[in-house]
Amino acid sequence: MQTTDSIQKNNGERLMRILVFTLIISVMNGTMFNVVLPVISKQFQISPSQVSWMVTGYMIVYAIGTVTFGKLTDKYSLKNLLTFGLIFLAAGSLAGILASAYWMMIVARILQAVGASVIPALAMIIPIRYFSPEKRGRALGTTAIGTALGAALGPIIAGLVSSALNWQVLFVIPLLSLFTLPFYRKYLDNEKGSASKIDFIGGILLAGTVATLLLALTNGGIGYAVTGIVLLILFILRIRHAADPFVKPVVFKNKSYSFGLAITFVLTAVGFGVPFIVPQLLSQVNHLSAAVTGLIMLPSALVTAYMGRKGGKLADEKGNSFLLSTAAALLIIGFLCLSSVVGMSPIFISLFLILSVPGQSFMQIALSNTISRTLPKEQIGIGMGLLSMFNFIAAAVSTATIGKILDFGTPTIHLNPLPTNSAAFVYSNIFLALALLVAVMAVLYFVLFGRSSKMNTAQRVEKGQM
């Protein structure tokens, strides 16, 4: 007769397999649209910064929704929340299929994001709930496989669909997630936390702050900036005085966690910049179709999918610092090479993406594992929920910022002297800046967390060594 621990372990393994498929669909839902953004821009006659809202708007809602669903698990079972989320994702997809104007596309993407944001909450909870800390790195590595496969399939499917049919057909893909629902309902338990109120006012203030500040960046105008600052002040006042705030300030008193969150924000923004900028580069400089762009991006994502679980094992066996140093080296070398070959044959872009994209996957595993270990047990839920939220806000900031930089066109300053194609100078500068950011953040990581991260702050506290 199976024990409770044995049943939980078996269910955890089954859930991870289902989660991989769900993550593939979820990531595809984002990466597919990155590839067709140049097509959408031409169709609706809008600038790169404006079309970036197909991704930015999605990510803002996705970020807030991730934390909201995480909080809702205190009141409702995960299987019921997942049912709601996947059905809402399907409704947004149907709205996108029927949309006929750009603003309708944005609304559809926001509806999708509301439903899809249950998936990262699920991806955080399953490794924590069903796996012990010493095996959590492997579980995170497994989720990285789903993320990488989604990134691999997204560009090629987007290219093929947009070439053979219409890019709007991409809204059909997320409907496949509905096939996972019966399995989740079978294997997920009915566990809930203690019921608590959700600070929707705080959530709305945070979403409004991020959206208006990004609008100030992409569209300009003092009005957006002032509104964003006012909303930020109101949000800070709200979380300081609300009985059960949307973001609990107490977690930020943990300095290791707070600094780690800041480093992760920057490095996540760097990582999400790649799938946004590469399709723009290949379309504007190399004049490639969406289908060929997908093929160029495919090898790096396949390598990342293959290496994902290995990254998790490295984190468990050799420590997070070793994995992060490996990731930083891959990213820096990859970005420097990309900066040097922009404007040349797209084969070079495909080759050097094989360094930068797996590097970002390793970076995420190392940072997630490090941050989870800086938190005491009672703060893991809120701390990891905030990490997920800030990751997606970082993605929104990244796409909006790079979109605005591309609006400026050819720069007068060429940071890398190697490229000779004038249209490629802006992309060369961006890749060089990304390499510098990775180097700075990696140094800060080692200053804050040291060479060894196997015995982390939280563990030393539990063992009475601090």
Side-chain angles (χ1 to χ4, degrees):
M1 188 173 181
Q2 287 186 312
T3 63
T4 302
D5 289 343
S6 176
I7 292 173
Q8 187 179 44
K9 180 180 178 181
N10 289 336
N11 284 349
E13 295 293 339
R14 294 186 184 105
L15 285 168
M16 288 306 299
R17 289 192 287 270
I18 304 166
L19 180 60
V20 166
F21 178 78
T22 314
L23 283 169
I24 290 172
I25 300 299
S26 176
V27 173
M28 282 175 60
N29 193 36
T31 59
M32 290 186 302
F33 287 93
N34 279 324
V35 174
V36 297
L37 287 181
V39 179
I40 300 172
S41 179
K42 291 178 182 177
Q43 179 175 331
F44 292 100
Q45 296 296 303
I46 52 180
S47 68
S49 62
Q50 290 172 319
V51 78
S52 71
W53 278 91
M54 285 288 288
V55 177
T56 301
Y58 182 90
M59 287 300 179
I60 292 172
V61 177
Y62 202 71
I64 305 303
T66 297
V67 176
T68 302
F69 274 114
K71 289 176 173 289
L72 286 171
T73 57
D74 286 341
K75 192 173 183 179
Y76 304 100
S77 69
L78 191 56
K79 66 172 61 175
N80 289 336
L81 292 174
L82 186 71
T83 301
F84 170 83
L86 293 184
I87 290 174
F88 219 90
L89 171 61
S93 299
L94 291 174
I97 295 169
L98 299 174
S100 59
Y102 183 63
W103 69 268
M104 296 172 70
M105 301 292 178
I106 298 298
V107 171
R109 289 288 283 164
I110 289 173
L111 292 174
Q112 280 189 320
V114 171
S117 57
V118 72
I119 297 170
L122 183 76
M124 287 290 182
I125 290 173
I126 287 178
I128 291 173
R129 184 178 294 180
Y130 292 89
F131 294 88
S132 59
E134 61 271 14
K135 294 182 179 179
R136 202 167 291 158
R138 288 178 173 83
L140 289 169
T142 302
T143 63
I145 293 174
T147 301
L149 283 174
L153 294 173
I156 187 64
I157 288 178
L160 293 173
V161 168
S162 61
S163 298
L165 300 169
N166 184 294
W167 65 267
Q168 206 164 341
V169 177
L170 296 176
F171 280 103
V172 175
I173 304 297
L175 295 174
L176 296 174
S177 61
L178 291 176
F179 289 107
T180 66
L181 193 51
F183 298 100
Y184 280 122
R185 293 197 64 84
K186 179 179 180 180
Y187 295 120
L188 282 170
D189 56 41
N190 293 303
E191 182 179 340
K192 308 179 204 177
S194 56
S196 59
K197 292 183 179 180
I198 296 178
D199 180 22
F200 287 108
I201 294 176
I204 292 170
L205 288 172
L206 178 58
T209 298
V210 176
T212 51
L213 290 177
L214 289 175
L215 282 168
L217 174 66
T218 56
N219 295 348
I222 191 68
Y224 286 126
V226 171
T227 302
I229 292 171
V230 170
L231 289 174
L232 176 60
I233 293 171
L234 291 174
F235 172 72
I236 293 172
L237 292 173
R238 177 70 185 180
I239 65 173
R240 287 175 64 88
H241 297 99
D244 190 13
F246 188 78
V247 174
K248 293 183 179 179
V250 64
V251 73
F252 295 112
K253 293 180 180 179
N254 181 336
K255 291 184 179 179
S256 294
Y257 172 80
S258 297
F259 285 122
L261 195 66
I263 292 172
T264 303
F265 183 91
V266 175
L267 290 173
T268 300
V270 169
F272 271 96
V274 175
F276 176 73
I277 191 176
V278 170
Q280 303 286 338
L281 164 64
L282 295 175
S283 174
Q284 300 299 324
V285 178
N286 297 97
H287 308 292
L288 300 183
S289 67
V292 178
T293 295
L295 289 172
I296 294 298
M297 298 177 69
L298 179 62
S300 61
L302 290 176
V303 171
T304 303
Y306 175 74
M307 296 296 293
R309 195 169 179 85
K310 295 183 183 297
K313 288 181 180 179
L314 282 174
D316 289 340
E317 294 170 2
K318 295 193 175 184
N320 298 313
S321 293
F322 176 85
L323 183 60
L324 188 132
S325 61
T326 302
L330 289 172
L331 283 169
I332 292 169
I333 294 171
F335 287 145
L336 290 175
C337 291
L338 286 169
S339 174
S340 301
V341 301
V342 290
M344 301 181 188
S345 169
I347 298 299
F348 290 113
I349 302 295
S350 182
L351 177 65
F352 294 123
L353 281 175
I354 292 176
L355 293 175
S356 58
V357 176
Q360 176 60 23
S361 177
F362 284 4
M363 187 72 74
Q364 286 298 115
I365 294 171
L367 290 169
S368 296
N369 222 3
T370 297
I371 289 179
S372 72
R373 295 181 179 186
T374 64
L375 294 162
K377 186 176 181 180
E378 65 274 11
Q379 291 183 356
I380 284 180
I382 181 176
M384 297 307 288
L386 284 173
L387 171 65
S388 184
M389 180 186 73
F390 275 92
N391 280 345
F392 295 121
I393 291 177
V397 170
S398 176
T399 54
T401 302
I402 292 175
K404 190 61 178 178
I405 292 171
L406 294 178
D407 283 351
F408 292 138
T410 304
T412 56
I413 299 175
H414 309 154
L415 300 178
N416 188 334
L418 293 179
T420 57
N421 187 327
S422 60
F425 290 150
V426 62
Y427 298 98
S428 176
N429 287 351
I430 291 173
F431 282 126
L432 208 57
L434 294 179
L436 179 61
L437 279 174
V438 172
V440 172
M441 291 300 109
V443 170
L444 286 176
Y445 175 91
F446 288 112
V447 169
L448 291 169
F449 297 104
R451 292 295 304 171
S452 175
S453 59
K454 277 197 167 185
M455 180 168 289
N456 50 78
T457 305
Q459 288 174 318
R460 291 197 294 268
V461 169
E462 291 174 0
K463 293 187 177 186
Q465 296 178 11
M466 286 186 71

